[in-house]
Amino acid sequence: MIERLWLQPPLAFARLGPSSVPCDSYRYGPSDLTPRGSGKTTVVPDVTLDLAEDGTLSERMPQDVQFKDGAGWRPICPYFELHGSWTVDGKSGTGPVTEQVLADSGLSLADVRWEVSVANLKAHHITQQDGDRIEARADLAGDDHRRHTLEGRSPRDARQPLVPSGVSLPLGSVQLPAPNAELPELRLRFTPGAGFVYGPQGHDPESGYELPPERLILNPEAAWSGFKATDDDFRTAPVLLFAGAERSWRSLGLVDDVCDGTVSVSLSGGPTATARIVSAPPRFSPDRRPFVSLADGLADRVQRADVHDSAYFEDEEQTALEVRDLFERVLETMSGVNVDVQNERSAGSNVRLANYLSLSPEDARALAFPPPQPLLGLLLGLTELGRRRHRRFVALEVLEDMIRERRELIQEQVRAPAQADGPGAVTLASPRFYTRQMPSGMRGSDAYPMHLTRRQYDLLVGWADQLREDTEPDS
């Protein structure tokens, strides 16, 4: 009898792409740290599962990874694999669920039910009108290996549904591979949308957003078509994140085909399992890892206390690897950022905030980096200087020597997370202002200057303290 089910992974990210060929699997390889290397992470192909239209599943090892082809970006199409625990004839087992595991419990593929439910609620989030919801659902029996389109529709009982009756907005598709002797596990594959934008019927091509006629399917009378933001209700951070906002604060009624939702599976009269799926834009720089990732955020939630224990830093090799990985990701992020432009944006934000708070705009401007002296042959002087400096930090010994010489280096140069304004009037010391502390010139999701997670910051501080403790006095 199968007693428990779960899906691996419990959370997966699909990435949009108009190509009909999914992107091959890949993993991160070692950084190129040769004398003339980039210092950035390499991308290495990994075992890839190919799913045919009839559900046939096969395995291969690609020679390289191709992210785009003539049609555009190749989509990232994740698989969900069903796992479970069971007891058969008094013997307990756990692992991937296969047809044999089902048969041992008196079940077949037909007794397995899958349900995929996704939605695009961007327009609804802003208008708060039920008619602007776009939702799709697919129900599949375990022995159904056809591809099923996720047809996004708006509630039929809404007064003005964004997706009118008789049409649908495709949010992707799902398919169950047929198990075979080489790949017997039960899986579901999610394929995201193509990354298209859809608009209302009668959309004005002079609006600056030209769409093909076949994608002008939305209701021009829906609340989202013509929604106008007010100066005290922006709904999003940053504000005005919709087409048309840049001209009149009025929505043009455009919608893309991203979505998120759940993948659920159940056995007839037995347990169920649920995982989450998120459809996201393409990874435009797949070899550049963010220095604050989803994994960092989750670790901050459940493992923050680890770095508050001095014993954590006794494993110097493991701690150094974690710190080096962070600085490698900082370098990779910086290699894709125009620091000069971001610095000027930050300085301008400081000036506007200072004027609003009746503080000195000149002093607020000076909190950011001054425009650098031009470097021979280089247009982006600040960007190049930053990359050169961070390239040195990948050799962790350089940073270690700096910390041994300056005990408070981390606190001085790295922005502390989750700071709040002090009591009394707001001053230029407020965390609302962009400064030269790292990460410099980057905006966080809370509309304040970006910072590391608390765990990352405390890791750096604890690591630096340990380095100082191991340093000979007066050295």
PDB file of all heavy atoms in Angstrom, residues 347-384:
ATOM      1  N   ALA A 347      22.074  58.471  -7.814  1.00  0.00           N
ATOM      2  CA  ALA A 347      22.309  59.856  -7.417  1.00  0.00           C
ATOM      3  C   ALA A 347      21.066  60.704  -7.649  1.00  0.00           C
ATOM      4  O   ALA A 347      20.690  61.539  -6.814  1.00  0.00           O
ATOM      5  CB  ALA A 347      23.495  60.415  -8.193  1.00  0.00           C
ATOM      6  N   GLY A 348      20.407  60.481  -8.791  1.00  0.00           N
ATOM      7  CA  GLY A 348      19.173  61.216  -9.064  1.00  0.00           C
ATOM      8  C   GLY A 348      18.076  60.887  -8.075  1.00  0.00           C
ATOM      9  O   GLY A 348      17.321  61.769  -7.653  1.00  0.00           O
ATOM     10  N   SER A 349      17.971  59.611  -7.685  1.00  0.00           N
ATOM     11  CA  SER A 349      16.988  59.219  -6.680  1.00  0.00           C
ATOM     12  C   SER A 349      17.277  59.892  -5.349  1.00  0.00           C
ATOM     13  O   SER A 349      16.357  60.344  -4.654  1.00  0.00           O
ATOM     14  CB  SER A 349      17.005  57.691  -6.522  1.00  0.00           C
ATOM     15  OG  SER A 349      16.121  57.271  -5.516  1.00  0.00           O
ATOM     16  N   ASN A 350      18.562  59.981  -4.986  1.00  0.00           N
ATOM     17  CA  ASN A 350      18.937  60.664  -3.745  1.00  0.00           C
ATOM     18  C   ASN A 350      18.515  62.124  -3.774  1.00  0.00           C
ATOM     19  O   ASN A 350      18.002  62.666  -2.783  1.00  0.00           O
ATOM     20  CB  ASN A 350      20.447  60.568  -3.534  1.00  0.00           C
ATOM     21  CG  ASN A 350      20.892  59.201  -3.050  1.00  0.00           C
ATOM     22  OD1 ASN A 350      20.075  58.343  -2.745  1.00  0.00           O
ATOM     23  ND2 ASN A 350      22.194  58.992  -2.987  1.00  0.00           N
ATOM     24  N   VAL A 351      18.746  62.791  -4.898  1.00  0.00           N
ATOM     25  CA  VAL A 351      18.409  64.212  -5.020  1.00  0.00           C
ATOM     26  C   VAL A 351      16.902  64.417  -4.881  1.00  0.00           C
ATOM     27  O   VAL A 351      16.445  65.315  -4.156  1.00  0.00           O
ATOM     28  CB  VAL A 351      18.923  64.767  -6.355  1.00  0.00           C
ATOM     29  CG1 VAL A 351      18.359  66.165  -6.618  1.00  0.00           C
ATOM     30  CG2 VAL A 351      20.448  64.809  -6.366  1.00  0.00           C
ATOM     31  N   ARG A 352      16.114  63.589  -5.545  1.00  0.00           N
ATOM     32  CA  ARG A 352      14.659  63.729  -5.462  1.00  0.00           C
ATOM     33  C   ARG A 352      14.158  63.490  -4.045  1.00  0.00           C
ATOM     34  O   ARG A 352      13.281  64.220  -3.541  1.00  0.00           O
ATOM     35  CB  ARG A 352      13.989  62.760  -6.432  1.00  0.00           C
ATOM     36  CG  ARG A 352      14.168  63.138  -7.899  1.00  0.00           C
ATOM     37  CD  ARG A 352      13.293  62.282  -8.800  1.00  0.00           C
ATOM     38  NE  ARG A 352      13.713  60.885  -8.775  1.00  0.00           N
ATOM     39  CZ  ARG A 352      14.655  60.383  -9.573  1.00  0.00           C
ATOM     40  NH1 ARG A 352      15.304  61.169 -10.427  1.00  0.00           N
ATOM     41  NH2 ARG A 352      14.969  59.100  -9.520  1.00  0.00           N
ATOM     42  N   LEU A 353      14.719  62.483  -3.380  1.00  0.00           N
ATOM     43  CA  LEU A 353      14.298  62.196  -2.011  1.00  0.00           C
ATOM     44  C   LEU A 353      14.717  63.320  -1.068  1.00  0.00           C
ATOM     45  O   LEU A 353      13.949  63.720  -0.176  1.00  0.00           O
ATOM     46  CB  LEU A 353      14.908  60.872  -1.547  1.00  0.00           C
ATOM     47  CG  LEU A 353      14.555  60.395  -0.135  1.00  0.00           C
ATOM     48  CD1 LEU A 353      13.045  60.287   0.037  1.00  0.00           C
ATOM     49  CD2 LEU A 353      15.228  59.066   0.172  1.00  0.00           C
ATOM     50  N   ALA A 354      15.913  63.872  -1.275  1.00  0.00           N
ATOM     51  CA  ALA A 354      16.378  64.980  -0.433  1.00  0.00           C
ATOM     52  C   ALA A 354      15.489  66.198  -0.594  1.00  0.00           C
ATOM     53  O   ALA A 354      15.134  66.876   0.399  1.00  0.00           O
ATOM     54  CB  ALA A 354      17.826  65.310  -0.777  1.00  0.00           C
ATOM     55  N   ASN A 355      15.112  66.505  -1.810  1.00  0.00           N
ATOM     56  CA  ASN A 355      14.215  67.646  -2.031  1.00  0.00           C
ATOM     57  C   ASN A 355      12.880  67.429  -1.332  1.00  0.00           C
ATOM     58  O   ASN A 355      12.308  68.352  -0.742  1.00  0.00           O
ATOM     59  CB  ASN A 355      13.996  67.854  -3.534  1.00  0.00           C
ATOM     60  CG  ASN A 355      15.201  68.480  -4.206  1.00  0.00           C
ATOM     61  OD1 ASN A 355      15.908  69.292  -3.604  1.00  0.00           O
ATOM     62  ND2 ASN A 355      15.443  68.116  -5.465  1.00  0.00           N
ATOM     63  N   TYR A 356      12.379  66.195  -1.398  1.00  0.00           N
ATOM     64  CA  TYR A 356      11.097  65.876  -0.750  1.00  0.00           C
ATOM     65  C   TYR A 356      11.194  66.029   0.760  1.00  0.00           C
ATOM     66  O   TYR A 356      10.238  66.453   1.423  1.00  0.00           O
ATOM     67  CB  TYR A 356      10.683  64.460  -1.129  1.00  0.00           C
ATOM     68  CG  TYR A 356       9.441  63.969  -0.443  1.00  0.00           C
ATOM     69  CD1 TYR A 356       8.190  64.406  -0.844  1.00  0.00           C
ATOM     70  CD2 TYR A 356       9.521  63.043   0.608  1.00  0.00           C
ATOM     71  CE1 TYR A 356       7.037  63.959  -0.212  1.00  0.00           C
ATOM     72  CE2 TYR A 356       8.373  62.585   1.237  1.00  0.00           C
ATOM     73  CZ  TYR A 356       7.144  63.040   0.825  1.00  0.00           C
ATOM     74  OH  TYR A 356       6.010  62.593   1.452  1.00  0.00           O
ATOM     75  N   LEU A 357      12.368  65.678   1.324  1.00  0.00           N
ATOM     76  CA  LEU A 357      12.563  65.724   2.781  1.00  0.00           C
ATOM     77  C   LEU A 357      13.179  67.043   3.247  1.00  0.00           C
ATOM     78  O   LEU A 357      13.527  67.170   4.423  1.00  0.00           O
ATOM     79  CB  LEU A 357      13.458  64.561   3.220  1.00  0.00           C
ATOM     80  CG  LEU A 357      12.902  63.151   2.984  1.00  0.00           C
ATOM     81  CD1 LEU A 357      13.965  62.102   3.267  1.00  0.00           C
ATOM     82  CD2 LEU A 357      11.663  62.907   3.845  1.00  0.00           C
ATOM     83  N   SER A 358      13.346  67.994   2.305  1.00  0.00           N
ATOM     84  CA  SER A 358      13.945  69.299   2.625  1.00  0.00           C
ATOM     85  C   SER A 358      15.364  69.147   3.153  1.00  0.00           C
ATOM     86  O   SER A 358      15.778  69.854   4.090  1.00  0.00           O
ATOM     87  CB  SER A 358      13.068  70.056   3.640  1.00  0.00           C
ATOM     88  OG  SER A 358      11.775  70.283   3.116  1.00  0.00           O
ATOM     89  N   LEU A 359      16.117  68.239   2.568  1.00  0.00           N
ATOM     90  CA  LEU A 359      17.530  68.064   2.888  1.00  0.00           C
ATOM     91  C   LEU A 359      18.369  68.594   1.727  1.00  0.00           C
ATOM     92  O   LEU A 359      17.844  68.921   0.657  1.00  0.00           O
ATOM     93  CB  LEU A 359      17.834  66.582   3.128  1.00  0.00           C
ATOM     94  CG  LEU A 359      17.075  65.913   4.274  1.00  0.00           C
ATOM     95  CD1 LEU A 359      17.340  64.412   4.286  1.00  0.00           C
ATOM     96  CD2 LEU A 359      17.462  66.522   5.609  1.00  0.00           C
ATOM     97  N   SER A 360      19.659  68.666   1.925  1.00  0.00           N
ATOM     98  CA  SER A 360      20.541  69.219   0.910  1.00  0.00           C
ATOM     99  C   SER A 360      20.664  68.262  -0.278  1.00  0.00           C
ATOM    100  O   SER A 360      21.203  67.154  -0.133  1.00  0.00           O
ATOM    101  CB  SER A 360      21.928  69.473   1.493  1.00  0.00           C
ATOM    102  OG  SER A 360      22.870  69.723   0.468  1.00  0.00           O
ATOM    103  N   PRO A 361      20.200  68.666  -1.476  1.00  0.00           N
ATOM    104  CA  PRO A 361      20.338  67.769  -2.630  1.00  0.00           C
ATOM    105  C   PRO A 361      21.791  67.560  -3.033  1.00  0.00           C
ATOM    106  O   PRO A 361      22.146  66.498  -3.538  1.00  0.00           O
ATOM    107  CB  PRO A 361      19.540  68.483  -3.727  1.00  0.00           C
ATOM    108  CG  PRO A 361      19.466  69.907  -3.302  1.00  0.00           C
ATOM    109  CD  PRO A 361      19.469  69.893  -1.814  1.00  0.00           C
ATOM    110  N   GLU A 362      22.641  68.563  -2.818  1.00  0.00           N
ATOM    111  CA  GLU A 362      24.055  68.412  -3.150  1.00  0.00           C
ATOM    112  C   GLU A 362      24.702  67.349  -2.278  1.00  0.00           C
ATOM    113  O   GLU A 362      25.465  66.501  -2.757  1.00  0.00           O
ATOM    114  CB  GLU A 362      24.798  69.740  -3.003  1.00  0.00           C
ATOM    115  CG  GLU A 362      24.386  70.815  -4.012  1.00  0.00           C
ATOM    116  CD  GLU A 362      23.081  71.493  -3.627  1.00  0.00           C
ATOM    117  OE1 GLU A 362      22.604  71.293  -2.470  1.00  0.00           O
ATOM    118  OE2 GLU A 362      22.506  72.201  -4.463  1.00  0.00           O
ATOM    119  N   ASP A 363      24.408  67.382  -0.984  1.00  0.00           N
ATOM    120  CA  ASP A 363      24.973  66.378  -0.077  1.00  0.00           C
ATOM    121  C   ASP A 363      24.418  64.988  -0.381  1.00  0.00           C
ATOM    122  O   ASP A 363      25.117  63.985  -0.257  1.00  0.00           O
ATOM    123  CB  ASP A 363      24.684  66.752   1.374  1.00  0.00           C
ATOM    124  CG  ASP A 363      25.455  67.985   1.826  1.00  0.00           C
ATOM    125  OD1 ASP A 363      26.435  68.342   1.147  1.00  0.00           O
ATOM    126  OD2 ASP A 363      25.067  68.590   2.842  1.00  0.00           O
ATOM    127  N   ALA A 364      23.155  64.940  -0.772  1.00  0.00           N
ATOM    128  CA  ALA A 364      22.553  63.647  -1.110  1.00  0.00           C
ATOM    129  C   ALA A 364      23.186  63.082  -2.371  1.00  0.00           C
ATOM    130  O   ALA A 364      23.441  61.875  -2.469  1.00  0.00           O
ATOM    131  CB  ALA A 364      21.050  63.800  -1.301  1.00  0.00           C
ATOM    132  N   ARG A 365      23.469  63.941  -3.336  1.00  0.00           N
ATOM    133  CA  ARG A 365      24.126  63.503  -4.559  1.00  0.00           C
ATOM    134  C   ARG A 365      25.512  62.945  -4.269  1.00  0.00           C
ATOM    135  O   ARG A 365      25.953  61.952  -4.865  1.00  0.00           O
ATOM    136  CB  ARG A 365      24.228  64.670  -5.546  1.00  0.00           C
ATOM    137  CG  ARG A 365      25.118  64.418  -6.782  1.00  0.00           C
ATOM    138  CD  ARG A 365      24.506  63.330  -7.631  1.00  0.00           C
ATOM    139  NE  ARG A 365      25.288  63.044  -8.831  1.00  0.00           N
ATOM    140  CZ  ARG A 365      26.334  62.214  -8.876  1.00  0.00           C
ATOM    141  NH1 ARG A 365      26.753  61.617  -7.766  1.00  0.00           N
ATOM    142  NH2 ARG A 365      26.954  61.969 -10.004  1.00  0.00           N
ATOM    143  N   ALA A 366      26.194  63.542  -3.306  1.00  0.00           N
ATOM    144  CA  ALA A 366      27.566  63.145  -2.986  1.00  0.00           C
ATOM    145  C   ALA A 366      27.637  61.797  -2.284  1.00  0.00           C
ATOM    146  O   ALA A 366      28.727  61.225  -2.153  1.00  0.00           O
ATOM    147  CB  ALA A 366      28.232  64.210  -2.122  1.00  0.00           C
ATOM    148  N   LEU A 367      26.485  61.261  -1.828  1.00  0.00           N
ATOM    149  CA  LEU A 367      26.508  59.953  -1.194  1.00  0.00           C
ATOM    150  C   LEU A 367      26.862  58.860  -2.202  1.00  0.00           C
ATOM    151  O   LEU A 367      27.449  57.838  -1.851  1.00  0.00           O
ATOM    152  CB  LEU A 367      25.146  59.636  -0.562  1.00  0.00           C
ATOM    153  CG  LEU A 367      24.738  60.511   0.630  1.00  0.00           C
ATOM    154  CD1 LEU A 367      23.303  60.193   1.038  1.00  0.00           C
ATOM    155  CD2 LEU A 367      25.681  60.290   1.809  1.00  0.00           C
ATOM    156  N   ALA A 368      26.479  59.063  -3.472  1.00  0.00           N
ATOM    157  CA  ALA A 368      26.827  58.115  -4.523  1.00  0.00           C
ATOM    158  C   ALA A 368      28.246  58.396  -5.003  1.00  0.00           C
ATOM    159  O   ALA A 368      28.876  59.371  -4.591  1.00  0.00           O
ATOM    160  CB  ALA A 368      25.830  58.218  -5.674  1.00  0.00           C
ATOM    161  N   PHE A 369      28.738  57.542  -5.872  1.00  0.00           N
ATOM    162  CA  PHE A 369      30.083  57.746  -6.400  1.00  0.00           C
ATOM    163  C   PHE A 369      30.113  58.963  -7.314  1.00  0.00           C
ATOM    164  O   PHE A 369      29.157  59.211  -8.069  1.00  0.00           O
ATOM    165  CB  PHE A 369      30.538  56.519  -7.206  1.00  0.00           C
ATOM    166  CG  PHE A 369      30.856  55.319  -6.368  1.00  0.00           C
ATOM    167  CD1 PHE A 369      29.949  54.280  -6.260  1.00  0.00           C
ATOM    168  CD2 PHE A 369      32.055  55.232  -5.685  1.00  0.00           C
ATOM    169  CE1 PHE A 369      30.232  53.156  -5.497  1.00  0.00           C
ATOM    170  CE2 PHE A 369      32.356  54.113  -4.917  1.00  0.00           C
ATOM    171  CZ  PHE A 369      31.443  53.076  -4.820  1.00  0.00           C
ATOM    172  N   PRO A 370      31.174  59.740  -7.293  1.00  0.00           N
ATOM    173  CA  PRO A 370      31.306  60.829  -8.260  1.00  0.00           C
ATOM    174  C   PRO A 370      31.603  60.247  -9.635  1.00  0.00           C
ATOM    175  O   PRO A 370      32.142  59.137  -9.741  1.00  0.00           O
ATOM    176  CB  PRO A 370      32.498  61.633  -7.726  1.00  0.00           C
ATOM    177  CG  PRO A 370      33.319  60.625  -6.988  1.00  0.00           C
ATOM    178  CD  PRO A 370      32.332  59.658  -6.375  1.00  0.00           C
ATOM    179  N   PRO A 371      31.249  60.963 -10.695  1.00  0.00           N
ATOM    180  CA  PRO A 371      31.608  60.469 -12.034  1.00  0.00           C
ATOM    181  C   PRO A 371      33.116  60.273 -12.113  1.00  0.00           C
ATOM    182  O   PRO A 371      33.897  61.147 -11.735  1.00  0.00           O
ATOM    183  CB  PRO A 371      31.134  61.594 -12.956  1.00  0.00           C
ATOM    184  CG  PRO A 371      30.086  62.314 -12.173  1.00  0.00           C
ATOM    185  CD  PRO A 371      30.510  62.222 -10.739  1.00  0.00           C
ATOM    186  N   PRO A 372      33.580  59.102 -12.561  1.00  0.00           N
ATOM    187  CA  PRO A 372      35.017  58.818 -12.565  1.00  0.00           C
ATOM    188  C   PRO A 372      35.747  59.583 -13.669  1.00  0.00           C
ATOM    189  O   PRO A 372      35.142  60.034 -14.646  1.00  0.00           O
ATOM    190  CB  PRO A 372      35.077  57.315 -12.820  1.00  0.00           C
ATOM    191  CG  PRO A 372      33.851  57.053 -13.643  1.00  0.00           C
ATOM    192  CD  PRO A 372      32.794  57.994 -13.125  1.00  0.00           C
ATOM    193  N   GLN A 373      37.031  59.720 -13.497  1.00  0.00           N
ATOM    194  CA  GLN A 373      37.852  60.279 -14.558  1.00  0.00           C
ATOM    195  C   GLN A 373      37.861  59.301 -15.729  1.00  0.00           C
ATOM    196  O   GLN A 373      37.956  58.085 -15.546  1.00  0.00           O
ATOM    197  CB  GLN A 373      39.285  60.507 -14.061  1.00  0.00           C
ATOM    198  CG  GLN A 373      39.409  61.581 -12.990  1.00  0.00           C
ATOM    199  CD  GLN A 373      39.015  62.951 -13.514  1.00  0.00           C
ATOM    200  OE1 GLN A 373      39.342  63.308 -14.646  1.00  0.00           O
ATOM    201  NE2 GLN A 373      38.307  63.725 -12.697  1.00  0.00           N
ATOM    202  N   PRO A 374      37.734  59.814 -16.950  1.00  0.00           N
ATOM    203  CA  PRO A 374      37.723  58.909 -18.112  1.00  0.00           C
ATOM    204  C   PRO A 374      38.996  58.069 -18.179  1.00  0.00           C
ATOM    205  O   PRO A 374      40.089  58.562 -17.921  1.00  0.00           O
ATOM    206  CB  PRO A 374      37.624  59.869 -19.300  1.00  0.00           C
ATOM    207  CG  PRO A 374      37.082  61.141 -18.730  1.00  0.00           C
ATOM    208  CD  PRO A 374      37.604  61.228 -17.323  1.00  0.00           C
ATOM    209  N   LEU A 375      38.821  56.802 -18.490  1.00  0.00           N
ATOM    210  CA  LEU A 375      39.947  55.907 -18.690  1.00  0.00           C
ATOM    211  C   LEU A 375      40.197  55.762 -20.186  1.00  0.00           C
ATOM    212  O   LEU A 375      39.251  55.706 -20.987  1.00  0.00           O
ATOM    213  CB  LEU A 375      39.667  54.536 -18.062  1.00  0.00           C
ATOM    214  CG  LEU A 375      39.442  54.523 -16.546  1.00  0.00           C
ATOM    215  CD1 LEU A 375      39.084  53.117 -16.089  1.00  0.00           C
ATOM    216  CD2 LEU A 375      40.671  55.008 -15.811  1.00  0.00           C
ATOM    217  N   LEU A 376      41.444  55.720 -20.574  1.00  0.00           N
ATOM    218  CA  LEU A 376      41.809  55.664 -21.979  1.00  0.00           C
ATOM    219  C   LEU A 376      41.132  54.476 -22.670  1.00  0.00           C
ATOM    220  O   LEU A 376      41.317  53.334 -22.276  1.00  0.00           O
ATOM    221  CB  LEU A 376      43.326  55.561 -22.119  1.00  0.00           C
ATOM    222  CG  LEU A 376      43.862  55.588 -23.557  1.00  0.00           C
ATOM    223  CD1 LEU A 376      43.533  56.935 -24.207  1.00  0.00           C
ATOM    224  CD2 LEU A 376      45.371  55.355 -23.563  1.00  0.00           C
ATOM    225  N   GLY A 377      40.313  54.786 -23.664  1.00  0.00           N
ATOM    226  CA  GLY A 377      39.672  53.741 -24.443  1.00  0.00           C
ATOM    227  C   GLY A 377      38.460  53.109 -23.788  1.00  0.00           C
ATOM    228  O   GLY A 377      37.892  52.164 -24.321  1.00  0.00           O
ATOM    229  N   LEU A 378      38.031  53.600 -22.622  1.00  0.00           N
ATOM    230  CA  LEU A 378      36.907  53.013 -21.904  1.00  0.00           C
ATOM    231  C   LEU A 378      35.825  54.067 -21.690  1.00  0.00           C
ATOM    232  O   LEU A 378      36.085  55.140 -21.145  1.00  0.00           O
ATOM    233  CB  LEU A 378      37.353  52.450 -20.554  1.00  0.00           C
ATOM    234  CG  LEU A 378      38.338  51.275 -20.607  1.00  0.00           C
ATOM    235  CD1 LEU A 378      38.824  50.937 -19.204  1.00  0.00           C
ATOM    236  CD2 LEU A 378      37.687  50.057 -21.247  1.00  0.00           C
ATOM    237  N   LEU A 379      34.607  53.761 -22.131  1.00  0.00           N
ATOM    238  CA  LEU A 379      33.498  54.702 -21.970  1.00  0.00           C
ATOM    239  C   LEU A 379      32.867  54.614 -20.590  1.00  0.00           C
ATOM    240  O   LEU A 379      32.339  55.595 -20.086  1.00  0.00           O
ATOM    241  CB  LEU A 379      32.434  54.429 -23.038  1.00  0.00           C
ATOM    242  CG  LEU A 379      32.856  54.642 -24.499  1.00  0.00           C
ATOM    243  CD1 LEU A 379      31.715  54.266 -25.437  1.00  0.00           C
ATOM    244  CD2 LEU A 379      33.266  56.091 -24.723  1.00  0.00           C
ATOM    245  N   LEU A 380      32.902  53.438 -19.977  1.00  0.00           N
ATOM    246  CA  LEU A 380      32.253  53.208 -18.689  1.00  0.00           C
ATOM    247  C   LEU A 380      33.325  53.036 -17.625  1.00  0.00           C
ATOM    248  O   LEU A 380      33.654  51.924 -17.210  1.00  0.00           O
ATOM    249  CB  LEU A 380      31.337  51.982 -18.771  1.00  0.00           C
ATOM    250  CG  LEU A 380      30.272  52.028 -19.873  1.00  0.00           C
ATOM    251  CD1 LEU A 380      29.508  50.719 -19.940  1.00  0.00           C
ATOM    252  CD2 LEU A 380      29.315  53.189 -19.651  1.00  0.00           C
ATOM    253  N   GLY A 381      33.853  54.163 -17.158  1.00  0.00           N
ATOM    254  CA  GLY A 381      34.978  54.108 -16.229  1.00  0.00           C
ATOM    255  C   GLY A 381      34.637  53.470 -14.907  1.00  0.00           C
ATOM    256  O   GLY A 381      35.398  52.653 -14.380  1.00  0.00           O
ATOM    257  N   LEU A 382      33.480  53.809 -14.323  1.00  0.00           N
ATOM    258  CA  LEU A 382      33.105  53.265 -13.016  1.00  0.00           C
ATOM    259  C   LEU A 382      32.848  51.762 -13.125  1.00  0.00           C
ATOM    260  O   LEU A 382      33.230  50.986 -12.240  1.00  0.00           O
ATOM    261  CB  LEU A 382      31.861  53.986 -12.501  1.00  0.00           C
ATOM    262  CG  LEU A 382      31.549  53.832 -11.010  1.00  0.00           C
ATOM    263  CD1 LEU A 382      32.693  54.357 -10.159  1.00  0.00           C
ATOM    264  CD2 LEU A 382      30.254  54.571 -10.665  1.00  0.00           C
ATOM    265  N   THR A 383      32.212  51.351 -14.206  1.00  0.00           N
ATOM    266  CA  THR A 383      31.951  49.924 -14.426  1.00  0.00           C
ATOM    267  C   THR A 383      33.255  49.141 -14.509  1.00  0.00           C
ATOM    268  O   THR A 383      33.409  48.086 -13.881  1.00  0.00           O
ATOM    269  CB  THR A 383      31.144  49.727 -15.716  1.00  0.00           C
ATOM    270  OG1 THR A 383      29.908  50.454 -15.619  1.00  0.00           O
ATOM    271  CG2 THR A 383      30.860  48.260 -15.970  1.00  0.00           C
ATOM    272  N   GLU A 384      34.218  49.665 -15.259  1.00  0.00           N
ATOM    273  CA  GLU A 384      35.487  48.964 -15.434  1.00  0.00           C
ATOM    274  C   GLU A 384      36.273  48.913 -14.132  1.00  0.00           C
ATOM    275  O   GLU A 384      36.859  47.879 -13.786  1.00  0.00           O
ATOM    276  CB  GLU A 384      36.311  49.649 -16.521  1.00  0.00           C
ATOM    277  CG  GLU A 384      37.646  48.981 -16.804  1.00  0.00           C
ATOM    278  CD  GLU A 384      37.504  47.548 -17.275  1.00  0.00           C
ATOM    279  OE1 GLU A 384      36.445  47.199 -17.840  1.00  0.00           O
ATOM    280  OE2 GLU A 384      38.461  46.764 -17.063  1.00  0.00           O
TER     281      GLU A 384
END
